[in-house]
Amino acid sequence: MNYGGFSTCGGEYVITDPVPPRPWINYLGNRRLRAFISQNAGGLMWYKEPYSRRLTRYHYTAAPGDRPGFYLYVRDRKTNQVWNPHFAPSCIGLDSFECRHRPGVTEFVASFDKVEVAVRFGIPPGDDVMLWDVTVRNVGDNPRDLQLASYMEFGLLEFMREAVGWCYLKNQFSLRFDAELNAIRYDYHVFEAPFAPCMLFGCTERLDGWECSRDAFIGSTGSYARPEALMDHRELSNSDLPLGGHACAVEALNVMLDPGAEKSLAFVFALADDWSTTEALLAQYRSSDAVQNGFANLANFWNERLCRTVVETGDPVVDRAVNVWIPYNSVVGLDLARTISTDHMGTDGLRYRDTTQDALAVANIDPEFARLRMHQVFEQQTPDGGGCFSFFPDDPRPTSDSPRRSDNTVWQVYTIHNLIAETGDMRLLDEEIPYRDGTIGSVYEHIQRGLDYIWDRRGPNGLPTLYHADWNDGLALFQDEAAESVMLGMQMVYSCKLFRELAQRTRRAADAEWCDHVATELTKILNSDLVWDGRWYRRLLMSNGKVLGGAANAQGQIYLNPQSWSVISGVGEFEGRGRIAMDSVAEKLDSDCGLRILAPPFTGIPEPEDPPLGSNPGIGENGGIFSHANTWAIIAECLLGNGNRAFKYFRQLLPEVVSERMGHDHYQREPYVFVSSIVGPGCDAFGQGGISWLTGTANWMHVAIVQYILGIRPTLDGLELCPCLPDGIEQVEATRRFRGKDYKIHLTKDTAKWNLNP
């Protein structure tokens, strides 16, 4: 089935069937107050982080799924028919339905029985308020007597503590309707809570009823689909929860509409540290003009970020991906790391290496945000240069050092180098940031110590020690922490090239010499018979003398990443091995939906006769199409001058393309953002999408398409044009905002030129 499509300009994805195979979501937020919302208005809201500041509830494993969320009920007071403009949870068949997801905003427009309702949700960039902007129209010939009622279910903020101790914590808050404010007041005073905000949920119109109690609204025999308070011509009971319980925010108003008439209003959730600030926020958004201004500010926020690179390639699928959905996905990825979605339950913090990678492309989209995140990353580094697994800047949990990832600190120089190239501000290297113990080091020193940390912890063959795993989490299954990583060795070579450039620019000759020494030593080892397998590079040197990723292996004979990184690092320039390796990738790993991470998949770990561990064959990092890894293959092919192959790898992995090719019902995931992985060939589920949104794929894909295929690349010296276009794209027109100026760029397969926009 076809569940929708992109708007003409590509800036919206319009869902026209309310029941796709999974929830297709969007994110709202201002980097403090955040939410995700589905095509049925199912979703969740939190403040800063969702572990101890989760404001509303979302049931991950209940049936039906995607419940509850941010609901608007419409009731005909004469017939008592109840429906939702977002279809669920009442699931009454609508006469028309559209859900429009666009950056930072989700809007529903639906009609039923000659009544049309539009409701859009957004969180303005400057204020911690969630806006529900509602317009109801009578498009029939008879007057209508309607009731509109909101529904939002409050949680007890601390997700795990609520799950374990709800029977006690339920008595440590209260909800009351404040008539003077025309709002429900959530007075949260849970003992020892790390965060106790002041919360209000109000309306721009005087209410005709409310419920603070979920029990009063749903009833003992009701459901989200058929809440008892809206059945049998009942009126709301105006319940409060002075002693706590199951809390919700139901606010209802009666609307009389003559034929052709319409009514606009808004529900407003506001949050702050004290009541006076929360009340002022609510008052600020009491008028329709203020609500419209909030949405205008939100549109401007995203327009400013998405206009930094705009392209016209003649391929609309590529254009809307490059201009809107890849950069949008990238910024959301940096904002949330791998924190929360309809799959992730929000119990993790920011991952050290993931956040560092996610800041890479955002350095070109929103440099200040990338800089902020890198500051937070460096604050978690230990004085000896080590990173961590995850950290929690907005809740009291301690930094987690386990499991140990050997690659944590190799990524830092990539992002900082790109950030300086984007801004031209070399002073960033001198910015002082504390280590985890409070001692101080410059950004330059943080990078240097991170590379030293990897270099000083090599195995007997001279390559970096694996520890629990490098970038590829799946290597942990081999339970060989003393193994040596080929991929990380290649990444160190590339890191040294970038760090050498920074050292030379800052006149640190000794550091530049160190980089040359490290790169030379590693390149020699990586091209030895220990690593080179004849047609590709091996993946691991195991501590027992065996290798992983060689032709002699029964399973996992070839891994994608070492082949890509041999080209990116320059290691594969020796005897043209990088080109040979990438030809092997094309022969052995390519599929209709992307490149597999390895082949053949493992049925037993480490040998076929052993028991299976981890993912089933063809899933995720066990022979699946791991999207993140595809991005480096695209970059590698560009560096080799293979524009056709690079573009093939890029385009075939685009969500819109995969979804259309495999079928929306089979692929299942949103056709507008990347998934972490796709089930690989050889499985019945080949082409089915994995976890969406929260993947490093988006950021690296932005770099791959803009900086390598299109070749519009920031360098320390300025903007460089070095396109690697495929035969199918004759020319590209682009606008690139760079260091305060707009450049008009014209690219063809053989030439590139730009003009400074007056």
Side-chain angles (χ1 to χ4, degrees):
M1 284 186 64
N2 189 357
Y3 296 94
F6 291 93
S7 61
T8 303
C9 66
E12 293 181 321
Y13 192 85
V14 184
I15 300 169
T16 53
D17 185 322
V19 194
R22 288 185 57 88
W24 287 1
I25 67 170
N26 191 18
Y27 283 92
L28 319 175
N30 58 18
R31 297 176 187 161
R32 297 179 307 277
L33 186 63
R34 303 177 176 99
F36 67 77
I37 185 170
S38 76
Q39 83 290 339
N40 293 148
L44 176 66
M45 179 167 56
W46 65 97
Y47 184 72
K48 291 189 176 179
E49 57 81 24
Y51 183 80
S52 61
R53 301 172 185 236
R54 188 176 305 215
L55 306 176
T56 65
R57 285 183 179 150
Y58 186 78
H59 305 311
Y60 277 87
T61 56
D66 194 34
R67 305 287 194 278
F70 312 102
Y71 295 152
L72 180 68
Y73 290 91
V74 182
R75 175 165 69 162
D76 187 306
R77 287 164 54 83
K78 182 178 180 180
T79 65
N80 209 56
Q81 177 67 65
V82 176
W83 58 283
N84 304 105
H86 31 73
F87 179 69
S90 66
C91 299
I92 298 298
L94 301 172
D95 297 329
S96 65
F97 169 88
E98 284 188 350
C99 168
R100 294 179 169 266
H101 287 322
R102 58 182 177 270
V105 175
T106 287
E107 181 174 12
F108 299 91
V109 180
S111 63
F112 178 77
D113 191 24
K114 306 296 185 180
V115 173
E116 182 179 278
V117 176
V119 53
R120 59 175 172 167
F121 297 85
I123 298 173
D127 298 312
D128 293 332
V129 296
M130 184 181 189
L131 305 176
W132 307 17
D133 183 31
V134 181
T135 299
V136 56
R137 301 179 182 88
N138 180 357
V139 295
D141 298 327
N142 301 310
R144 303 302 291 267
D145 182 3
L146 305 173
Q147 183 181 63
L148 304 180
S150 67
Y151 182 84
M152 186 167 65
E153 189 169 318
F154 288 116
L156 293 179
L157 278 73
E158 295 178 85
F159 176 63
M160 294 301 294
R161 196 174 174 205
E162 176 179 357
V164 173
W166 181 83
C167 57
Y168 302 108
L169 301 181
K170 68 178 182 178
N171 301 315
Q172 298 180 17
F173 72 91
S174 65
L175 256 72
R176 299 176 186 269
F177 178 71
D178 187 318
E180 184 177 348
L181 293 176
N182 192 43
I184 291 172
R185 184 186 293 268
Y186 186 1
D187 187 2
Y188 179 84
H189 46 84
V190 171
F191 180 59
E192 294 182 333
F195 177 57
C198 299
M199 295 171 277
L200 291 169
F201 186 75
C203 185
T204 56
E205 297 289 321
R206 180 57 55 181
L207 298 177
D208 294 302
W210 70 88
E211 302 285 9
C212 296
S213 167
R214 188 186 73 178
D215 294 339
F217 183 67
I218 300 294
S220 58
T221 61
S223 65
Y224 294 127
R226 293 178 57 82
E228 287 187 5
L230 299 182
M231 299 294 112
D232 301 326
H233 298 280
R234 298 183 188 183
E235 298 296 332
L236 299 186
S237 68
N238 296 345
S239 62
D240 287 343
L241 279 181
L243 302 179
H246 284 295
C248 68
V250 176
E251 297 187 342
L253 62 154
N254 302 328
V255 178
M256 295 290 297
L257 291 177
D258 291 328
E262 69 176 43
K263 174 72 174 179
S264 294
L265 59 111
F267 298 102
V268 180
F269 171 83
L271 171 148
D273 291 331
D274 58 82
W275 286 113
S276 60
T277 304
T278 307
E279 291 171 10
L281 268 176
L282 188 65
Q284 179 182 334
Y285 285 91
R286 283 292 190 197
S287 70
S288 175
D289 287 346
V291 171
Q292 304 312 311
N293 188 57
F295 279 99
N297 291 337
L298 183 51
N300 290 336
F301 174 89
W302 282 109
N303 288 339
E304 288 174 4
R305 283 147 184 82
L306 300 181
C307 75
R308 294 182 70 94
T309 301
V310 179
V311 305
E312 296 178 18
T313 67
D315 184 333
V317 173
V318 173
D319 290 353
R320 54 182 163 250
V322 176
N323 295 337
V324 180
W325 294 97
I326 293 179
Y328 179 44
N329 195 173
S330 297
V331 175
V332 170
L334 180 60
D335 189 20
L336 299 175
R338 307 298 177 267
T339 305
I340 192 165
S341 68
T342 53
D343 297 286
H344 290 278
M345 294 187 69
T347 57
D348 294 331
L350 299 180
R351 303 284 177 85
Y352 191 99
R353 57 162 185 186
D354 293 339
T355 300
T356 305
Q357 290 183 79
D358 291 343
L360 176 67
V362 178
N364 308 122
I365 302 165
D366 190 343
E368 284 305 311
F369 186 34
R371 189 168 185 160
L372 168 65
R373 277 290 192 247
M374 288 307 299
H375 193 292
Q376 292 175 316
V377 166
F378 285 133
E379 285 181 334
Q380 300 304 318
Q381 195 173 14
T382 53
D384 64 357
C388 67
F389 178 69
S390 59
F391 60 98
F392 312 91
D394 296 306
D395 75 51
R397 285 184 292 169
T399 297
S400 172
D401 286 313
S402 181
R404 294 178 71 190
R405 294 290 192 263
S406 60
D407 66 318
N408 277 326
T409 55
V410 77
W411 307 99
Q412 296 168 164
V413 68
Y414 307 165
T415 297
I416 293 299
H417 188 282
N418 191 43
L419 185 55
I420 294 173
E422 180 67 28
T423 63
D425 187 5
M426 292 290 294
R427 296 171 298 176
L428 173 60
L429 291 175
D430 298 322
E431 181 180 345
E432 294 188 337
I433 299 175
Y435 294 97
R436 203 189 309 175
D437 68 349
T439 58
I440 302 296
S442 67
V443 168
Y444 183 95
E445 291 167 339
H446 278 271
I447 295 171
Q448 185 177 42
R449 292 191 189 187
L451 296 178
D452 279 335
Y453 186 90
I454 297 172
W455 177 246
D456 292 342
R457 289 160 177 80
R458 286 167 292 143
N461 296 298
L463 294 181
T465 304
L466 179 69
Y467 299 129
H468 189 259
D470 57 20
W471 173 88
N472 187 345
D473 295 342
L475 298 180
L477 300 177
F478 294 91
Q479 303 177 62
D480 187 357
E481 295 197 1
E484 296 171 60
S485 169
V486 171
M487 177 183 177
L488 185 52
M490 292 171 172
Q491 289 181 296
M492 276 291 290
V493 173
Y494 182 62
S495 296
C496 284
K497 290 184 177 181
L498 296 180
F499 192 56
R500 181 182 187 275
E501 188 175 3
L502 297 178
Q504 288 180 318
R505 295 297 175 108
T506 56
R507 299 181 180 178
R508 293 175 168 97
D511 293 342
E513 291 177 4
W514 179 86
C515 290
D516 288 338
H517 168 71
V518 170
T520 299
E521 287 295 309
L522 288 173
T523 298
K524 181 179 178 181
I525 298 167
L526 291 164
N527 278 306
S528 71
D529 291 341
L530 281 171
V531 179
W532 177 247
D533 198 63
R535 293 181 59 201
W536 59 81
Y537 290 90
R538 295 164 177 159
R539 184 63 177 88
L540 283 184
L541 305 182
M542 311 294 283
S543 63
N544 61 6
K546 295 182 179 181
V547 299
L548 187 67
N553 293 100
Q555 303 175 135
Q557 294 174 347
I558 178 171
Y559 278 74
L560 173 59
N561 289 337
Q563 323 321 321
S564 303
W565 280 96
S566 74
V567 177
I568 295 170
S569 65
V571 167
E573 293 174 5
F574 180 72
E575 297 180 347
R577 289 179 174 181
R579 189 176 297 276
I580 296 170
M582 291 306 296
D583 286 345
S584 296
V585 165
E587 175 189 345
K588 295 180 175 295
L589 298 179
D590 196 16
S591 78
D592 288 341
C593 297
L595 298 166
R596 291 180 284 174
I597 195 170
L598 63 87
F602 289 91
T603 57
I605 298 291
E607 303 294 344
E609 60 270 18
D610 294 322
L613 290 174
S615 297
N616 290 318
I619 308 296
E621 291 176 311
N622 186 16
I625 299 161
F626 207 83
S627 304
H628 194 155
N630 278 243
T631 65
W632 300 320
I634 297 166
I635 293 171
E637 292 293 0
C638 286
L639 292 173
L640 292 172
N642 296 332
N644 289 339
R645 189 182 282 174
F647 187 73
K648 174 186 183 296
Y649 291 166
F650 166 76
R651 200 179 189 282
Q652 72 185 8
L653 196 66
L654 290 177
E656 180 180 356
V657 173
V658 181
S659 186
E660 289 287 345
R661 177 174 293 156
M662 304 309 297
H664 296 291
D665 287 301
H666 182 76
Y667 179 67
Q668 297 188 354
R669 297 291 181 161
E670 297 95 329
Y672 43 89
V673 291
F674 286 105
V675 294
S676 61
S677 64
I678 300 168
V679 176
C683 296
D684 292 339
F686 170 50
Q688 189 176 100
I691 297 171
S692 60
W693 279 97
L694 306 184
T695 164
T697 307
N699 271 276
W700 274 104
M701 194 64 93
H702 187 274
V703 171
I705 178 64
V706 176
Q707 296 192 23
Y708 288 89
I709 293 178
L710 300 180
I712 307 171
R713 192 178 310 162
T715 72
L716 299 185
D717 293 319
L719 200 61
E720 175 184 271
L721 298 184
C722 188
C724 187
L725 299 179
D727 291 337
I729 295 182
E730 299 297 328
Q731 63 181 18
V732 176
E733 303 295 333
T735 301
R736 177 66 159 90
R737 180 165 297 168
F738 182 69
R739 299 185 188 177
K741 295 182 174 61
D742 288 341
Y743 291 86
K744 296 290 187 180
I745 299 170
H746 177 77
L747 304 173
T748 66
K749 194 166 178 60
D750 301 314
T751 62
K753 62 182 179 180
W754 67 87
N755 294 305
L756 182 63
N757 195 31

